[in-house]
Amino acid sequence: MTPDELKACCLEQNEAWEDFPFPTYPGLSTFKVSGKIFALSALGETPLSVSLKCDPEIAVRLRASYPAVRPGWHLNKRHWNTVTLDGSLSDRTVREMIEDSYDLVVAGLPRWERLRLGQG
């Protein structure tokens, strides 16, 4: 997956947008829904990686199954994974991880906000 493909996949999520909220890391893209981050990536860095929110039990399984999946870098390691996009994971798997991260963030929003996003 290329940086452009990663960015497009994140922005395909309902009402997602890209933001750069960290002045000390100006190249760090964050992808948000309703003001909450569901993905972070320094799109210009090599190797390309993305940090994604994950259910804690699934996070542990993914780390055990894929060497490219590690505990979240500078994030709560129980709830976040950092995924190196080195080709060892299929684009489909990465897309599913992005969608799962988005869904977890949306699930934590107030009910009215979930309804507004079409996810009652």
Side-chain angles (χ1 to χ4, degrees):
M1 182 173 282
T2 68
D4 288 339
E5 291 168 335
L6 173 60
K7 180 177 178 173
C9 183
C10 290
L11 293 175
E12 285 170 6
Q13 308 310 307
N14 188 25
E15 294 197 28
W17 79 90
E18 183 179 21
D19 193 15
F20 301 90
F22 305 112
T24 54
Y25 298 100
L28 183 64
S29 293
T30 62
F31 297 93
K32 297 180 175 183
V33 60
S34 296
K36 304 289 184 181
I37 297 171
F38 68 91
L40 300 98
S41 181
L43 296 172
E45 289 189 6
T46 303
L48 180 62
S49 66
V50 62
S51 293
L52 301 165
K53 193 159 190 167
C54 191
D55 174 89
E57 291 179 17
I58 295 171
V60 171
R61 285 198 304 265
L62 289 169
R63 294 171 198 163
S65 299
Y66 303 105
V69 179
R70 304 174 318 281
W73 183 72
H74 286 293
L75 298 163
N76 182 326
K77 290 164 181 18
R78 181 165 154 50
H79 295 277
W80 288 85
N81 280 336
T82 296
V83 182
T84 301
L85 304 179
D86 59 4
S88 62
L89 294 169
S90 70
D91 287 358
R92 179 179 177 169
T93 299
V94 175
R95 285 181 181 279
E96 288 171 357
M97 294 169 81
I98 291 167
E99 291 167 5
D100 289 347
S101 180
Y102 173 89
D103 290 343
L104 275 171
V105 170
V106 169
L109 296 173
R111 184 174 186 271
W112 68 269
E113 188 72 6
R114 291 191 314 269
L115 291 172
R116 190 184 70 74
L117 291 168
Q119 296 196 12

